[in-house]
């Protein structure tokens, strides 16, 4: 339920920092193991969304989809799309923000075969996970320099965040 875009860069930060101890092994954080754990987590989350789509998605959307502007034709097109391009969608969809979250649900509704879905989801999640962890590694390895640059913009950043919070509340 927590987006990988938040968790994985922080894990990468801990890898790049070089002094944090990973709680399971008691060793310093490791890039390859962090990417593997993130990819397994992404695949597990995708399987949950797939199951929701598989067992509840179509009937729920047939009943309530009109409130989300989803028609029966949309469901049929989704099923046809996954019959032709399901493997590619499961693989490449993992690398596109927002689509990453929706492709699993759609694959479940379309009843894509589970084994190919799982394999392509794992393989498609791997480069995205590695990229997010690598971004965090760079952040952790260069934290002092980045902090010095951000310090110059501290008040502007606080102001923008304050305006965003007020806009959200309003």
């Amino acid at each position: 339920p927590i987006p990988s875009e938040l968790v994985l860069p922080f894990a990468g930060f801990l890898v790049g920092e070089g002094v944090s101890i990973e709680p399971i092994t008691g060793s310093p954080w490791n890039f390859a193991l962090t990417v593997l754990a993130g990819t397994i987590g992404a695949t597990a989350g995708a399987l949950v969304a797939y199951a929701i789509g598989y067992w509840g998605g179509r009937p729920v959307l047939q009943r309530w989809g009109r409130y989300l502007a989803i028609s029966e034709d949309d469901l049929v097109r989704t099923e046809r799309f996954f019959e032709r391009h399901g493997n590619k969608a499961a693989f490449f969809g993992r690398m596109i923000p927002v689509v990453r979250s929706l492709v699993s649900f759609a694959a479940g509704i379309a009843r894509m075969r589970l084994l190919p879905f799982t394999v392509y989801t794992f393989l498609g999640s791997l480069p995205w996970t590695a990229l997010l962890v690598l971004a965090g590694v760079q952040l952790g390895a260069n934290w002092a320099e980045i902090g010095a640059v951000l310090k110059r913009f501290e008040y502007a950043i606080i102001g923008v965040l304050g305006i965003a919070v007020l806009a959200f509340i309003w």
Side-chain angles (χ1 to χ4, degrees):
I2 301 171
S4 59
E5 289 83 354
L6 295 176
V7 175
L8 294 174
F10 180 66
F13 176 88
L14 296 174
V15 171
E17 185 185 43
V19 295
S20 295
I21 300 299
E22 188 268 311
I24 295 175
T25 64
S27 302
W29 284 72
N30 175 286
F31 179 80
L33 292 178
T34 302
V35 170
L36 179 62
T39 304
I40 290 169
T43 304
L47 288 169
V48 170
Y50 174 93
I52 291 169
Y54 189 91
W55 282 303
R58 196 176 218 303
V60 168
L61 288 176
Q62 284 174 319
R63 180 167 183 183
W64 303 102
R66 66 181 174 271
Y67 299 109
L68 301 171
I70 298 172
S71 68
E72 181 67 27
D73 289 340
D74 294 330
L75 293 174
V76 170
R77 277 196 305 275
T78 298
E79 289 166 340
R80 280 195 210 128
F81 175 83
F82 271 91
E83 285 172 10
R84 286 182 300 222
H85 307 290
N87 295 344
K88 289 181 270 189
F91 180 78
F92 290 110
R94 298 287 150 218
M95 298 178 217
I96 304 169
V98 179
V99 173
R100 299 169 36 76
S101 303
L102 301 175
V103 73
S104 302
F105 187 69
I109 290 172
R111 304 217 180 263
M112 182 178 174
R113 289 190 3 250
L114 184 60
L115 182 60
F117 172 79
T118 305
V119 169
Y120 285 110
T121 294
F122 183 88
L123 294 175
S125 296
L126 189 62
W128 180 254
T129 300
L131 181 69
L132 291 173
V133 172
L134 183 61
V137 167
Q138 293 303 311
L139 183 65
N142 299 297
W143 184 246
E145 294 84 13
I146 293 168
V149 170
L150 290 178
K151 185 73 173 164
R152 289 185 264 161
F153 302 102
E154 183 175 16
Y155 292 119
I157 293 169
I158 291 171
V160 168
L161 290 174
I163 291 169
V165 168
L166 290 174
F168 177 76
I169 292 171
W170 182 73

mmCIF file of all heavy atoms in Angstrom, residues 1-39:
data_model
loop_
_atom_site.group_PDB
_atom_site.id
_atom_site.type_symbol
_atom_site.label_atom_id
_atom_site.label_comp_id
_atom_site.label_asym_id
_atom_site.label_seq_id
_atom_site.Cartn_x
_atom_site.Cartn_y
_atom_site.Cartn_z
ATOM 1 N N PRO A 1 0.802 -1.220 0.000
ATOM 2 C CA PRO A 1 0.000 0.000 0.000
ATOM 3 C C PRO A 1 0.840 1.277 0.000
ATOM 4 O O PRO A 1 0.323 2.351 -0.211
ATOM 5 C CB PRO A 1 -0.814 -0.119 1.279
ATOM 6 C CG PRO A 1 -0.014 -0.994 2.173
ATOM 7 C CD PRO A 1 0.736 -1.924 1.258
ATOM 8 N N ILE A 2 2.145 1.167 0.240
ATOM 9 C CA ILE A 2 3.020 2.338 0.214
ATOM 10 C C ILE A 2 3.732 2.360 -1.131
ATOM 11 O O ILE A 2 4.361 1.375 -1.524
ATOM 12 C CB ILE A 2 4.044 2.283 1.367
ATOM 13 C CG1 ILE A 2 3.316 2.217 2.703
ATOM 14 C CG2 ILE A 2 4.969 3.493 1.309
ATOM 15 C CD1 ILE A 2 4.219 1.944 3.884
ATOM 16 N N PRO A 3 3.654 3.466 -1.855
ATOM 17 C CA PRO A 3 4.252 3.512 -3.198
ATOM 18 C C PRO A 3 5.759 3.257 -3.183
ATOM 19 O O PRO A 3 6.482 3.783 -2.334
ATOM 20 C CB PRO A 3 3.951 4.938 -3.677
ATOM 21 C CG PRO A 3 2.856 5.433 -2.804
ATOM 22 C CD PRO A 3 2.972 4.705 -1.496
ATOM 23 N N SER A 4 6.189 2.487 -4.147
ATOM 24 C CA SER A 4 7.620 2.173 -4.246
ATOM 25 C C SER A 4 8.443 3.433 -4.495
ATOM 26 O O SER A 4 9.620 3.490 -4.132
ATOM 27 C CB SER A 4 7.860 1.160 -5.367
ATOM 28 O OG SER A 4 7.415 1.672 -6.607
ATOM 29 N N GLU A 5 7.833 4.448 -5.089
ATOM 30 C CA GLU A 5 8.541 5.697 -5.352
ATOM 31 C C GLU A 5 8.951 6.397 -4.051
ATOM 32 O O GLU A 5 9.826 7.250 -4.061
ATOM 33 C CB GLU A 5 7.673 6.640 -6.194
ATOM 34 C CG GLU A 5 7.501 6.194 -7.627
ATOM 35 C CD GLU A 5 6.400 5.153 -7.834
ATOM 36 O OE1 GLU A 5 5.810 4.664 -6.834
ATOM 37 O OE2 GLU A 5 6.135 4.814 -8.988
ATOM 38 N N LEU A 6 8.338 6.033 -2.938
ATOM 39 C CA LEU A 6 8.721 6.578 -1.639
ATOM 40 C C LEU A 6 9.694 5.668 -0.900
ATOM 41 O O LEU A 6 10.655 6.128 -0.293
ATOM 42 C CB LEU A 6 7.479 6.796 -0.766
ATOM 43 C CG LEU A 6 6.468 7.828 -1.244
ATOM 44 C CD1 LEU A 6 5.264 7.854 -0.312
ATOM 45 C CD2 LEU A 6 7.106 9.197 -1.332
ATOM 46 N N VAL A 7 9.436 4.379 -0.944
ATOM 47 C CA VAL A 7 10.211 3.424 -0.148
ATOM 48 C C VAL A 7 11.587 3.141 -0.758
ATOM 49 O O VAL A 7 12.596 3.150 -0.056
ATOM 50 C CB VAL A 7 9.423 2.100 -0.002
ATOM 51 C CG1 VAL A 7 10.248 1.046 0.699
ATOM 52 C CG2 VAL A 7 8.122 2.336 0.722
ATOM 53 N N LEU A 8 11.632 2.894 -2.049
ATOM 54 C CA LEU A 8 12.886 2.437 -2.663
ATOM 55 C C LEU A 8 13.990 3.495 -2.697
ATOM 56 O O LEU A 8 15.149 3.157 -2.430
ATOM 57 C CB LEU A 8 12.607 1.880 -4.055
ATOM 58 C CG LEU A 8 11.769 0.599 -4.044
ATOM 59 C CD1 LEU A 8 11.409 0.174 -5.457
ATOM 60 C CD2 LEU A 8 12.483 -0.518 -3.303
ATOM 61 N N PRO A 9 13.690 4.762 -2.994
ATOM 62 C CA PRO A 9 14.786 5.732 -2.899
ATOM 63 C C PRO A 9 15.347 5.853 -1.476
ATOM 64 O O PRO A 9 16.556 6.029 -1.295
ATOM 65 C CB PRO A 9 14.146 7.048 -3.356
ATOM 66 C CG PRO A 9 13.057 6.618 -4.268
ATOM 67 C CD PRO A 9 12.521 5.353 -3.630
ATOM 68 N N PHE A 10 14.484 5.727 -0.482
ATOM 69 C CA PHE A 10 14.989 5.772 0.893
ATOM 70 C C PHE A 10 15.876 4.561 1.178
ATOM 71 O O PHE A 10 16.931 4.688 1.808
ATOM 72 C CB PHE A 10 13.845 5.849 1.904
ATOM 73 C CG PHE A 10 14.328 5.906 3.321
ATOM 74 C CD1 PHE A 10 15.040 7.005 3.784
ATOM 75 C CD2 PHE A 10 14.104 4.842 4.180
ATOM 76 C CE1 PHE A 10 15.517 7.050 5.089
ATOM 77 C CE2 PHE A 10 14.569 4.884 5.494
ATOM 78 C CZ PHE A 10 15.271 5.991 5.945
ATOM 79 N N ALA A 11 15.456 3.385 0.708
ATOM 80 C CA ALA A 11 16.301 2.197 0.878
ATOM 81 C C ALA A 11 17.629 2.401 0.156
ATOM 82 O O ALA A 11 18.696 2.053 0.676
ATOM 83 C CB ALA A 11 15.583 0.953 0.354
ATOM 84 N N GLY A 12 17.581 2.974 -1.041
ATOM 85 C CA GLY A 12 18.804 3.281 -1.770
ATOM 86 C C GLY A 12 19.667 4.284 -1.028
ATOM 87 O O GLY A 12 20.899 4.192 -1.031
ATOM 88 N N PHE A 13 19.035 5.256 -0.380
ATOM 89 C CA PHE A 13 19.760 6.232 0.440
ATOM 90 C C PHE A 13 20.561 5.498 1.513
ATOM 91 O O PHE A 13 21.722 5.806 1.755
ATOM 92 C CB PHE A 13 18.770 7.208 1.078
ATOM 93 C CG PHE A 13 19.401 8.192 2.012
ATOM 94 C CD1 PHE A 13 19.896 9.394 1.534
ATOM 95 C CD2 PHE A 13 19.492 7.924 3.366
ATOM 96 C CE1 PHE A 13 20.486 10.311 2.402
ATOM 97 C CE2 PHE A 13 20.076 8.825 4.232
ATOM 98 C CZ PHE A 13 20.581 10.020 3.750
ATOM 99 N N LEU A 14 19.933 4.505 2.146
ATOM 100 C CA LEU A 14 20.622 3.733 3.186
ATOM 101 C C LEU A 14 21.774 2.925 2.602
ATOM 102 O O LEU A 14 22.806 2.753 3.252
ATOM 103 C CB LEU A 14 19.628 2.831 3.913
ATOM 104 C CG LEU A 14 18.534 3.566 4.700
ATOM 105 C CD1 LEU A 14 17.515 2.575 5.257
ATOM 106 C CD2 LEU A 14 19.123 4.419 5.806
ATOM 107 N N VAL A 15 21.596 2.431 1.358
ATOM 108 C CA VAL A 15 22.704 1.728 0.687
ATOM 109 C C VAL A 15 23.846 2.706 0.431
ATOM 110 O O VAL A 15 25.007 2.431 0.734
ATOM 111 C CB VAL A 15 22.228 1.100 -0.654
ATOM 112 C CG1 VAL A 15 23.418 0.575 -1.449
ATOM 113 C CG2 VAL A 15 21.218 -0.006 -0.415
ATOM 114 N N GLY A 16 23.512 3.866 -0.130
ATOM 115 C CA GLY A 16 24.535 4.842 -0.503
ATOM 116 C C GLY A 16 25.228 5.497 0.667
ATOM 117 O O GLY A 16 26.401 5.877 0.584
ATOM 118 N N GLU A 17 24.499 5.616 1.765
ATOM 119 C CA GLU A 17 25.071 6.219 2.968
ATOM 120 C C GLU A 17 26.246 5.378 3.478
ATOM 121 O O GLU A 17 27.232 5.901 3.971
ATOM 122 C CB GLU A 17 23.965 6.332 4.016
ATOM 123 C CG GLU A 17 24.344 7.023 5.269
ATOM 124 C CD GLU A 17 23.219 6.974 6.273
ATOM 125 O OE1 GLU A 17 22.588 5.900 6.422
ATOM 126 O OE2 GLU A 17 22.980 8.006 6.901
ATOM 127 N N GLY A 18 26.090 4.052 3.362
ATOM 128 C CA GLY A 18 27.188 3.149 3.684
ATOM 129 C C GLY A 18 27.385 2.793 5.141
ATOM 130 O O GLY A 18 28.230 1.968 5.461
ATOM 131 N N VAL A 19 26.631 3.397 6.053
ATOM 132 C CA VAL A 19 26.848 3.105 7.473
ATOM 133 C C VAL A 19 25.625 2.463 8.131
ATOM 134 O O VAL A 19 25.739 1.945 9.238
ATOM 135 C CB VAL A 19 27.245 4.377 8.259
ATOM 136 C CG1 VAL A 19 28.592 4.900 7.780
ATOM 137 C CG2 VAL A 19 26.192 5.451 8.145
ATOM 138 N N SER A 20 24.495 2.491 7.489
ATOM 139 C CA SER A 20 23.276 1.914 8.079
ATOM 140 C C SER A 20 23.335 0.396 8.025
ATOM 141 O O SER A 20 23.821 -0.194 7.060
ATOM 142 C CB SER A 20 22.042 2.408 7.338
ATOM 143 O OG SER A 20 21.892 3.789 7.515
ATOM 144 N N ILE A 21 22.802 -0.228 9.062
ATOM 145 C CA ILE A 21 22.780 -1.684 9.163
ATOM 146 C C ILE A 21 21.371 -2.163 8.836
ATOM 147 O O ILE A 21 20.385 -1.693 9.390
ATOM 148 C CB ILE A 21 23.186 -2.144 10.579
ATOM 149 C CG1 ILE A 21 24.605 -1.655 10.904
ATOM 150 C CG2 ILE A 21 23.078 -3.654 10.719
ATOM 151 C CD1 ILE A 21 25.686 -2.175 9.981
ATOM 152 N N GLU A 22 21.307 -3.124 7.932
ATOM 153 C CA GLU A 22 20.030 -3.713 7.526
ATOM 154 C C GLU A 22 19.558 -4.642 8.642
ATOM 155 O O GLU A 22 20.342 -5.447 9.145
ATOM 156 C CB GLU A 22 20.256 -4.443 6.190
ATOM 157 C CG GLU A 22 18.997 -4.940 5.538
ATOM 158 C CD GLU A 22 18.701 -6.346 5.964
ATOM 159 O OE1 GLU A 22 19.586 -7.181 5.922
ATOM 160 O OE2 GLU A 22 17.543 -6.578 6.347
ATOM 161 N N PRO A 23 18.303 -4.538 9.088
ATOM 162 C CA PRO A 23 17.873 -5.234 10.308
ATOM 163 C C PRO A 23 17.773 -6.753 10.213
ATOM 164 O O PRO A 23 17.922 -7.429 11.224
ATOM 165 C CB PRO A 23 16.500 -4.624 10.597
ATOM 166 C CG PRO A 23 16.029 -4.067 9.304
ATOM 167 C CD PRO A 23 17.253 -3.690 8.532
ATOM 168 N N ILE A 24 17.559 -7.310 9.056
ATOM 169 C CA ILE A 24 17.380 -8.764 8.965
ATOM 170 C C ILE A 24 18.724 -9.484 9.030
ATOM 171 O O ILE A 24 18.887 -10.460 9.768
ATOM 172 C CB ILE A 24 16.601 -9.143 7.693
ATOM 173 C CG1 ILE A 24 15.181 -8.581 7.788
ATOM 174 C CG2 ILE A 24 16.573 -10.657 7.500
ATOM 175 C CD1 ILE A 24 14.345 -8.766 6.556
ATOM 176 N N THR A 25 19.703 -9.008 8.261
ATOM 177 C CA THR A 25 20.995 -9.700 8.208
ATOM 178 C C THR A 25 22.012 -9.135 9.188
ATOM 179 O O THR A 25 23.008 -9.783 9.478
ATOM 180 C CB THR A 25 21.603 -9.613 6.794
ATOM 181 O OG1 THR A 25 21.886 -8.238 6.500
ATOM 182 C CG2 THR A 25 20.670 -10.196 5.755
ATOM 183 N N GLY A 26 21.786 -7.915 9.660
ATOM 184 C CA GLY A 26 22.755 -7.271 10.539
ATOM 185 C C GLY A 26 23.974 -6.764 9.795
ATOM 186 O O GLY A 26 24.971 -6.399 10.405
ATOM 187 N N SER A 27 23.906 -6.742 8.487
ATOM 188 C CA SER A 27 25.011 -6.274 7.641
ATOM 189 C C SER A 27 24.634 -4.919 7.042
ATOM 190 O O SER A 27 23.470 -4.524 7.060
ATOM 191 C CB SER A 27 25.238 -7.260 6.491
ATOM 192 O OG SER A 27 25.519 -8.541 6.995
ATOM 193 N N PRO A 28 25.630 -4.220 6.469
ATOM 194 C CA PRO A 28 25.280 -2.979 5.769
ATOM 195 C C PRO A 28 24.327 -3.269 4.604
ATOM 196 O O PRO A 28 24.323 -4.364 4.044
ATOM 197 C CB PRO A 28 26.628 -2.474 5.243
ATOM 198 C CG PRO A 28 27.640 -3.104 6.130
ATOM 199 C CD PRO A 28 27.066 -4.432 6.516
ATOM 200 N N TRP A 29 23.534 -2.269 4.265
ATOM 201 C CA TRP A 29 22.582 -2.411 3.159
ATOM 202 C C TRP A 29 23.336 -2.726 1.872
ATOM 203 O O TRP A 29 24.394 -2.181 1.605
ATOM 204 C CB TRP A 29 21.775 -1.138 3.003
ATOM 205 C CG TRP A 29 20.721 -0.992 4.063
ATOM 206 C CD1 TRP A 29 20.920 -0.694 5.371
ATOM 207 C CD2 TRP A 29 19.320 -1.148 3.902
ATOM 208 N NE1 TRP A 29 19.730 -0.648 6.042
ATOM 209 C CE2 TRP A 29 18.722 -0.922 5.151
ATOM 210 C CE3 TRP A 29 18.505 -1.444 2.828
ATOM 211 C CZ2 TRP A 29 17.356 -0.995 5.353
ATOM 212 C CZ3 TRP A 29 17.145 -1.508 3.022
ATOM 213 C CH2 TRP A 29 16.579 -1.296 4.279
ATOM 214 N N ASN A 30 22.760 -3.610 1.064
ATOM 215 C CA ASN A 30 23.386 -4.093 -0.157
ATOM 216 C C ASN A 30 22.500 -3.734 -1.344
ATOM 217 O O ASN A 30 21.290 -3.985 -1.312
ATOM 218 C CB ASN A 30 23.571 -5.615 -0.034
ATOM 219 C CG ASN A 30 24.092 -6.253 -1.279
ATOM 220 O OD1 ASN A 30 23.374 -6.407 -2.259
ATOM 221 N ND2 ASN A 30 25.357 -6.633 -1.232
ATOM 222 N N PHE A 31 23.089 -3.174 -2.399
ATOM 223 C CA PHE A 31 22.317 -2.738 -3.569
ATOM 224 C C PHE A 31 21.525 -3.894 -4.189
ATOM 225 O O PHE A 31 20.319 -3.798 -4.394
ATOM 226 C CB PHE A 31 23.244 -2.097 -4.609
ATOM 227 C CG PHE A 31 22.520 -1.639 -5.843
ATOM 228 C CD1 PHE A 31 21.821 -0.441 -5.843
ATOM 229 C CD2 PHE A 31 22.520 -2.403 -6.996
ATOM 230 C CE1 PHE A 31 21.141 -0.007 -6.974
ATOM 231 C CE2 PHE A 31 21.844 -1.987 -8.129
ATOM 232 C CZ PHE A 31 21.150 -0.781 -8.122
ATOM 233 N N ALA A 32 22.197 -4.994 -4.504
ATOM 234 C CA ALA A 32 21.539 -6.110 -5.196
ATOM 235 C C ALA A 32 20.403 -6.702 -4.357
ATOM 236 O O ALA A 32 19.319 -6.979 -4.886
ATOM 237 C CB ALA A 32 22.555 -7.190 -5.550
ATOM 238 N N LEU A 33 20.639 -6.883 -3.068
ATOM 239 C CA LEU A 33 19.581 -7.442 -2.212
ATOM 240 C C LEU A 33 18.419 -6.469 -2.040
ATOM 241 O O LEU A 33 17.260 -6.884 -1.959
ATOM 242 C CB LEU A 33 20.157 -7.834 -0.848
ATOM 243 C CG LEU A 33 21.130 -9.011 -0.855
ATOM 244 C CD1 LEU A 33 21.673 -9.258 0.556
ATOM 245 C CD2 LEU A 33 20.474 -10.265 -1.406
ATOM 246 N N THR A 34 18.723 -5.178 -2.013
ATOM 247 C CA THR A 34 17.668 -4.175 -1.900
ATOM 248 C C THR A 34 16.806 -4.183 -3.153
ATOM 249 O O THR A 34 15.569 -4.133 -3.081
ATOM 250 C CB THR A 34 18.272 -2.777 -1.657
ATOM 251 O OG1 THR A 34 19.066 -2.829 -0.466
ATOM 252 C CG2 THR A 34 17.200 -1.721 -1.515
ATOM 253 N N VAL A 35 17.446 -4.260 -4.330
ATOM 254 C CA VAL A 35 16.697 -4.320 -5.590
ATOM 255 C C VAL A 35 15.867 -5.606 -5.646
ATOM 256 O O VAL A 35 14.690 -5.581 -6.045
ATOM 257 C CB VAL A 35 17.645 -4.209 -6.806
ATOM 258 C CG1 VAL A 35 16.917 -4.507 -8.108
ATOM 259 C CG2 VAL A 35 18.274 -2.817 -6.851
ATOM 260 N N LEU A 36 16.444 -6.718 -5.240
ATOM 261 C CA LEU A 36 15.708 -7.990 -5.247
ATOM 262 C C LEU A 36 14.497 -7.926 -4.313
ATOM 263 O O LEU A 36 13.388 -8.317 -4.700
ATOM 264 C CB LEU A 36 16.630 -9.146 -4.841
ATOM 265 C CG LEU A 36 15.969 -10.522 -4.779
ATOM 266 C CD1 LEU A 36 15.451 -10.937 -6.155
ATOM 267 C CD2 LEU A 36 16.946 -11.554 -4.235
ATOM 268 N N ALA A 37 14.696 -7.405 -3.116
ATOM 269 C CA ALA A 37 13.579 -7.295 -2.167
ATOM 270 C C ALA A 37 12.497 -6.364 -2.714
ATOM 271 O O ALA A 37 11.298 -6.657 -2.605
ATOM 272 C CB ALA A 37 14.082 -6.798 -0.815
ATOM 273 N N GLY A 38 12.901 -5.253 -3.315
ATOM 274 C CA GLY A 38 11.930 -4.320 -3.887
ATOM 275 C C GLY A 38 11.161 -4.937 -5.039
ATOM 276 O O GLY A 38 9.951 -4.729 -5.184
ATOM 277 N N THR A 39 11.848 -5.715 -5.861
ATOM 278 C CA THR A 39 11.194 -6.363 -6.996
ATOM 279 C C THR A 39 10.215 -7.438 -6.526
ATOM 280 O O THR A 39 9.112 -7.565 -7.059
ATOM 281 C CB THR A 39 12.253 -6.965 -7.945
ATOM 282 O OG1 THR A 39 13.147 -5.919 -8.346
ATOM 283 C CG2 THR A 39 11.611 -7.570 -9.180
#
